[in-house]
Amino acid sequence: MEIKHQHHLTNGDFFILDDNQKKIAVMTYIMFDDETMLIEHTIVDEQLSGQGIGKKLVDAGVQFAREKGFKIIPQCPYANAVFKKTPEYADVWLK
C-alpha cells in the first residue's frame, strides 16, 4: 500500500487510497506556523485494523518533517501515543 501526501500552504495529509480512490487511512495536519506541523487526526478504516497503518502514516509525517526541518506537535491522541513510544522521533517532537 502506497502512502500518498498532499501538502498545502496551511495544512496537509498523508493517506492511503482503496481501489475506488477513497481514502481508507489518513493522518491530517495543520501548519501551526512556518516551521511546525500539528498532527490533528489519524484515522484508519476497520478493514486495515491491526496492520500498523496508523504508525506508518505517522512515520511518513516524521520523515516529511525531517526533510523540511519542521517540528511536530502530536495533538492527535494516537500520534501522541506513538511519539511517546518512539524515542527516535525526539528530534522533531516539539514538547
Side-chain angles (χ1 to χ4, degrees):
M1 277 181 236
E2 179 186 0
I3 295 177
K4 298 184 179 276
H5 180 217
Q6 293 179 330
H7 178 75
H8 308 286
L9 192 57
T10 59
N11 63 11
D13 59 358
F14 291 87
F15 57 94
I16 295 173
L17 300 173
D18 67 9
D19 294 337
N20 297 317
Q21 302 303 301
K22 178 185 173 223
K23 291 180 182 178
I24 53 174
V26 63
M27 182 191 79
T28 64
Y29 63 90
I30 60 170
M31 293 304 297
F32 186 77
D33 59 34
D34 290 343
E35 300 172 348
T36 310
M37 294 169 54
L38 186 146
I39 297 176
E40 292 183 296
H41 302 288
T42 306
I43 302 165
V44 178
D45 191 275
E46 288 179 14
Q47 66 182 312
L48 299 175
S49 182
Q51 298 181 39
I53 301 298
K55 172 93 166 54
K56 290 178 183 178
L57 292 171
V58 174
D59 282 340
V62 167
Q63 292 306 316
F64 175 71
R66 286 180 177 144
E67 290 169 11
K68 297 294 186 181
F70 295 159
K71 294 292 184 182
I72 296 176
I73 300 170
Q75 179 178 310
C76 159
Y78 176 80
N80 192 276
V82 171
F83 267 71
K84 287 179 179 175
K85 294 178 192 172
T86 314
E88 299 83 25
Y89 292 172
D91 62 316
V92 296
W93 191 357
L94 183 63
K95 293 184 181 180

